[in-house]
Amino acid sequence: MTQRVWNFSAGPGALPLPVLEEAQRDLVCLPGVGASVLEISHRSKHFDAIIQEAEANLRQLLNIPDDYHVLFLQGGASLQFAMVPMNLLGDGSADYIITGSWGQKAFQEAQLVGKARVVWNGKAENFVRTPRPDEYQIDPNARYVHFTSNETIQGVEFASEPYAGEVPLVCDMSSDFLARPIDVRKYGLIYAGAQKNAGPAGVTIVIVRNDLVQRAPTHLPVMLNYRTHAENRSLYNTPPVFAIYIVMLVTRWLLHAVGGLAQMERINREKARLLYEVIDQSDGFYRGHAHPEHRSIMNITWRLPTEELERQFLQEAQAHGLHELKGHRSVGGCRASLYNGMPIEGVQALCAFMRAFMQRHA
Amino acid sequence: MTQRVWNFSAGPGALPLPVLEEAQRDLVCLPGVGASVLEISHRSKHFDAIIQEAEANLRQLLNIPDDYHVLFLQGGASLQFAMVPMNLLGDGSADYIITGSWGQKAFQEAQLVGKARVVWNGKAENFVRTPRPDEYQIDPNARYVHFTSNETIQGVEFASEPYAGEVPLVCDMSSDFLARPIDVRKYGLIYAGAQKNAGPAGVTIVIVRNDLVQRAPTHLPVMLNYRTHAENRSLYNTPPVFAIYIVMLVTRWLLHAVGGLAQMERINREKARLLYEVIDQSDGFYRGHAHPEHRSIMNITWRLPTEELERQFLQEAQAHGLHELKGHRSVGGCRASLYNGMPIEGVQALCAFMRAFMQRHA
């Protein structure tokens, strides 16, 4: 099989085809370089141009203010779960808003490092929504307030930033980073594994205000200190060269082919609308997980009447070229991830299949 | 320019052309998968086959015993400088043998984490050799003895493992990993950034004996604990999928095209011999850095009579398609890295150029 299927994987997820085609064309020999991007020194002027464009594209797409650093790190969001408290907690405490599995993990790691407190937890309601501001109290002395903008497993997404008073907001934005415009000024620190909307697995993007970088204690291992990476512009040691190259291509595609994040959001909202419409009009055959006003435009989750039907659904979908629709092993059911790289045609194909499947089985 | 040059970069370094060509062919669509390797879920059976083959190839190439784990991590050797003492030190101390810049960095990180001691340091002699066993004393209670098998910057390489008594040997093998056979049984832990001989930047291979994995304290952040990665077979969180895929292709090439590490070592020794011969027969025009019996077969370092001649040498070499020959910014001079991916034809071209340059300028 050399024909591409519709890939709804929750991550690593689908990438824009023009990005893959350009990467393929140049993989053995980068034009003007004489070597593959897999072989070039991270100290070469060729890589310098790549990482500088990746950063410049991100700054332009997100309108990142000058007092924020853009870092390209390794280890995924899971390492950030530890690095954030290691760098920012000091002797203080942090407040965590938990709306799903990833927020829970971030909180557990913070507890290993220092003092952390849960101010709101959606677990009792089975993670179906984000909180109202009157449902939780922020400690005004907290070092930061942590939240997960989009919970990939449950499909719960914040429509806008949660209330945090004057306390710096820290956000795990892994699964909706670059899917819509945000106001970076509202955040102290944003981190995101690239493998959803921004690139392949293997690079983690951190956007952090300079005053927070300066909080890092001096005794931290060098590689776990944001100051190291800020001062060395992500080149303290060998960075994940190829993953950063793909982020550069993806952000270039977002800027010049898509036309920016407002346009990307319009496309993403339309994709999600099409799929939720099928679910909402199915008379309960497809049951969405999250409350409608809190559901994700990235990860659409639903159940069928029985687990047997779910198995059949996934099997037939696969046969129709609709892949990776199985829900996360911790919650079951079905999930379609509609990241930036998923074209509307793929969603239309999924919707048509879901309507036909329902007709046969409802 | 779409013609490939001879790339002597110290890392990321040259990769085998057949590996690059196969990765290019399949980059948009992995056969039988319908998606790019950049887009596949790390929980898919497709990636499972990739990471399992990468591990199996490494086990076969290095004859790794069953009680050793093979881990695919992120963060490079620089993060291992901290993870090793975080996992292995406990309340004890470790002994460090320092033969160059990287060993020095590893020791500095260990000091940030706990107690570490230098048992031998080649710095006073400007890092030109490895120590004799009678030149240092190992603390029999040390938790481990750390050394750097090949110092990439100075071009100093251990011919065989240093004496460590009954204390587990820990080795930063980044720049000669997979360049020659080793007896893994002699080591407690081996770590290596892949970007020299094993693959691209973005994945770090750790080979660690099970009893050492079990030493990790329970309070460590999950991602910094070897036990996490051993128990989850490097799939606790999203691993660097593409980098592991390339390691799989490189190790497959080593096994089936090259014919194993003994054969790879023969080729590497012949490449180094050719280049050292030019240096040794140059009547001091090219001055090698390390003592002959301690010099590296991977990173050959030398000076010319003047810095002006060095500049001219690098410029003319570049014009002859011989790239990345500049020495590390911390030591100057010239350096040619002859990793597994550099064919003998590249070394022959460099030798011919060096002889001609000498004739014009000696």
Side-chain angles (χ1 to χ4, degrees):
Chain A
M1 184 205 312
T2 53
Q3 205 187 335
R4 284 171 58 81
V5 299
W6 297 119
N7 171 23
F8 296 95
S9 170
L15 288 171
L17 186 56
V19 165
L20 294 173
E21 287 171 339
E22 180 167 346
Q24 179 178 49
R25 189 192 68 202
D26 297 340
L27 195 76
V28 169
C29 198
L30 216 48
V33 176
S36 168
V37 67
L38 298 174
E39 304 170 302
I40 58 172
S41 168
H42 57 296
R43 308 277 174 211
S44 66
K45 67 176 193 290
H46 311 300
F47 182 64
D48 220 48
I50 289 169
I51 195 169
Q52 281 185 25
E53 183 183 336
E55 177 174 341
N57 290 349
L58 285 167
R59 287 192 179 276
Q60 193 178 341
L61 283 166
L62 290 163
N63 199 17
I64 300 174
D66 287 345
D67 59 329
Y68 285 70
H69 302 273
V70 177
L71 310 178
F72 299 96
L73 307 184
Q74 295 184 66
S78 294
L79 185 56
Q80 293 309 306
F81 294 167
M83 277 180 72
V84 163
M86 287 171 102
N87 280 268
L88 304 186
L89 260 189
D91 298 328
S93 171
D95 283 355
Y96 278 71
I97 300 169
I98 299 178
T99 54
S101 307
W102 292 108
Q104 187 72 39
K105 282 203 175 194
F107 171 67
Q108 283 162 354
E109 280 299 290
Q111 282 186 300
L112 279 176
V113 172
K115 272 182 286 197
R117 192 175 72 115
V118 176
V119 294
W120 191 84
N121 194 336
K123 190 177 170 66
E125 297 175 35
N126 200 21
F127 296 132
V128 290
R129 66 180 183 93
T130 64
R132 295 186 309 273
D134 64 353
E135 289 185 287
Y136 62 91
Q137 289 275 334
I138 297 297
D139 173 0
N141 295 315
R143 296 302 166 95
Y144 61 86
V145 173
H146 183 281
F147 76 109
T148 312
S149 54
N150 181 64
E151 283 284 357
T152 323
I153 292 175
Q154 283 81 15
V156 173
E157 189 172 23
F158 280 86
S160 60
E161 293 78 10
Y163 171 79
E166 299 299 307
V167 179
L169 263 183
V170 171
C171 180
D172 174 3
M173 208 175 277
S174 292
S175 54
D176 60 2
F177 182 67
L178 298 186
R180 56 181 181 180
I182 51 161
D183 181 356
V184 173
R185 271 264 166 256
K186 293 184 176 164
Y187 298 82
L189 188 152
I190 293 164
Y191 62 93
Q195 69 271 15
K196 319 287 187 177
N197 288 301
V203 63
T204 314
I205 295 156
V206 174
I207 299 170
V208 53
R209 213 170 58 212
N210 187 53
D211 61 304
L212 295 186
V213 169
Q214 302 312 328
R215 276 201 207 167
T218 51
H219 66 267
L220 280 183
V222 174
M223 282 292 290
L224 301 174
N225 190 323
Y226 289 131
R227 208 182 302 120
T228 303
H229 303 291
E231 286 174 358
N232 292 280
R233 297 187 75 96
S234 307
L235 289 168
Y236 171 74
N237 74 333
T238 314
V241 170
F242 182 76
I244 294 170
Y245 163 72
I246 299 290
V247 169
M248 182 276 280
L249 293 181
V250 169
T251 51
R252 189 192 277 175
W253 172 81
L254 279 168
L255 271 175
H256 303 299
V258 175
L261 294 190
Q263 180 58 15
M264 192 72 249
E265 181 179 20
R266 271 191 287 277
I267 297 167
N268 284 332
R269 287 204 179 279
E270 177 59 11
K271 290 187 291 182
R273 191 191 65 75
L274 288 173
L275 187 45
Y276 281 126
E277 192 174 75
V278 173
I279 292 171
D280 292 344
Q281 296 180 350
S282 75
D283 273 332
F285 182 78
Y286 299 116
R287 285 171 293 122
H289 175 76
H291 290 181
E293 66 276 29
H294 302 269
R295 58 197 186 182
S296 171
I297 61 165
M298 295 276 101
N299 311 100
I300 283 82
T301 57
W302 70 91
R303 306 295 308 240
L304 273 78
T306 65
E307 290 193 7
E308 174 51 36
L309 268 176
E310 284 172 353
R311 266 190 295 275
Q312 206 175 331
F313 176 90
L314 294 170
Q315 217 165 41
E316 290 186 24
Q318 171 107 2
H320 281 75
L322 303 160
H323 286 217
E324 297 286 348
L325 286 165
K326 199 172 177 192
H328 190 269
R329 58 212 150 100
S330 65
V331 298
C334 303
R335 172 174 58 175
S337 296
L338 313 183
Y339 298 130
N340 291 348
M342 169 58 61
I344 199 153
E345 291 77 12
V347 184
Q348 288 164 337
L350 173 59
C351 291
F353 169 77
M354 285 174 73
R355 287 208 168 88
F357 185 88
M358 183 173 66
Q359 288 213 319
R360 287 198 301 280
H361 296 281
Chain B
M1 186 205 312
T2 53
Q3 206 189 333
R4 285 170 59 80
V5 299
W6 297 119
N7 170 24
F8 296 94
S9 170
L15 288 171
L17 185 57
V19 165
L20 294 173
E21 287 171 340
E22 179 168 347
Q24 179 178 48
R25 189 193 68 202
D26 296 341
L27 196 76
V28 168
C29 199
L30 215 48
V33 177
S36 168
V37 67
L38 299 174
E39 305 170 302
I40 59 172
S41 167
H42 57 296
R43 308 276 174 213
S44 66
K45 67 176 192 291
H46 311 300
F47 182 65
D48 220 48
I50 289 168
I51 195 169
Q52 280 185 26
E53 183 184 336
E55 177 174 339
N57 290 349
L58 285 168
R59 286 191 181 275
Q60 194 178 341
L61 283 166
L62 291 163
N63 198 18
I64 300 174
D66 287 346
D67 59 328
Y68 285 71
H69 301 273
V70 177
L71 310 178
F72 299 96
L73 306 184
Q74 295 183 65
S78 294
L79 185 55
Q80 294 309 307
F81 295 167
M83 277 180 72
V84 163
M86 288 171 102
N87 280 267
L88 304 186
L89 260 189
D91 298 329
S93 172
D95 283 355
Y96 278 71
I97 300 169
I98 299 178
T99 53
S101 308
W102 292 108
Q104 187 72 38
K105 282 202 174 194
F107 170 67
Q108 284 162 356
E109 280 299 289
Q111 283 186 301
L112 280 175
V113 173
K115 272 183 287 199
R117 191 175 72 114
V118 177
V119 293
W120 191 84
N121 194 336
K123 192 177 169 67
E125 297 174 36
N126 201 21
F127 296 133
V128 289
R129 66 180 183 95
T130 65
R132 295 185 308 274
D134 63 354
E135 289 185 289
Y136 61 92
Q137 288 276 335
I138 296 298
D139 173 1
N141 295 314
R143 297 302 167 95
Y144 61 86
V145 173
H146 184 281
F147 77 109
T148 313
S149 54
N150 181 64
E151 283 285 355
T152 323
I153 292 175
Q154 283 81 15
V156 173
E157 189 173 22
F158 280 86
S160 60
E161 293 79 9
Y163 172 78
E166 299 298 308
V167 178
L169 264 183
V170 171
C171 180
D172 174 3
M173 209 175 276
S174 292
S175 54
D176 60 1
F177 182 67
L178 298 185
R180 57 180 181 180
I182 50 161
D183 181 356
V184 173
R185 271 264 167 257
K186 293 184 176 163
Y187 298 82
L189 189 153
I190 293 164
Y191 61 93
Q195 68 272 14
K196 319 286 187 177
N197 288 300
V203 63
T204 313
I205 296 156
V206 175
I207 299 170
V208 54
R209 213 170 58 212
N210 187 53
D211 62 303
L212 295 186
V213 169
Q214 302 312 328
R215 275 201 208 167
T218 52
H219 66 268
L220 280 183
V222 174
M223 282 291 290
L224 302 175
N225 190 322
Y226 289 131
R227 209 183 300 120
T228 304
H229 302 292
E231 286 174 357
N232 292 280
R233 297 187 74 96
S234 308
L235 289 168
Y236 171 75
N237 74 333
T238 313
V241 170
F242 183 76
I244 294 170
Y245 163 73
I246 299 291
V247 169
M248 183 275 281
L249 293 181
V250 169
T251 51
R252 190 191 275 175
W253 172 81
L254 279 168
L255 270 176
H256 303 299
V258 175
L261 294 191
Q263 181 58 16
M264 192 71 249
E265 182 180 18
R266 271 191 286 277
I267 297 167
N268 284 333
R269 287 205 179 277
E270 176 60 11
K271 290 187 292 181
R273 190 191 65 75
L274 289 173
L275 187 44
Y276 282 126
E277 191 174 75
V278 173
I279 292 171
D280 292 343
Q281 296 180 347
S282 75
D283 274 332
F285 182 78
Y286 299 117
R287 284 171 294 122
H289 175 76
H291 289 181
E293 67 274 30
H294 301 268
R295 56 198 187 183
S296 170
I297 61 165
M298 294 276 102
N299 311 101
I300 283 82
T301 55
W302 70 90
R303 307 294 310 237
L304 274 76
T306 66
E307 290 193 8
E308 174 51 36
L309 267 176
E310 284 172 354
R311 266 191 296 275
Q312 206 176 330
F313 176 90
L314 294 170
Q315 217 165 40
E316 289 186 24
Q318 171 107 4
H320 280 75
L322 303 159
H323 286 217
E324 298 285 350
L325 286 165
K326 198 171 177 195
H328 190 269
R329 58 213 149 99
S330 65
V331 296
C334 302
R335 171 174 57 174
S337 296
L338 312 183
Y339 297 131
N340 290 349
M342 169 59 61
I344 200 155
E345 291 77 11
V347 184
Q348 288 164 337
L350 173 59
C351 290
F353 169 76
M354 284 174 73
R355 288 208 167 89
F357 186 87
M358 183 173 66
Q359 287 211 318
R360 286 197 302 280
H361 297 281

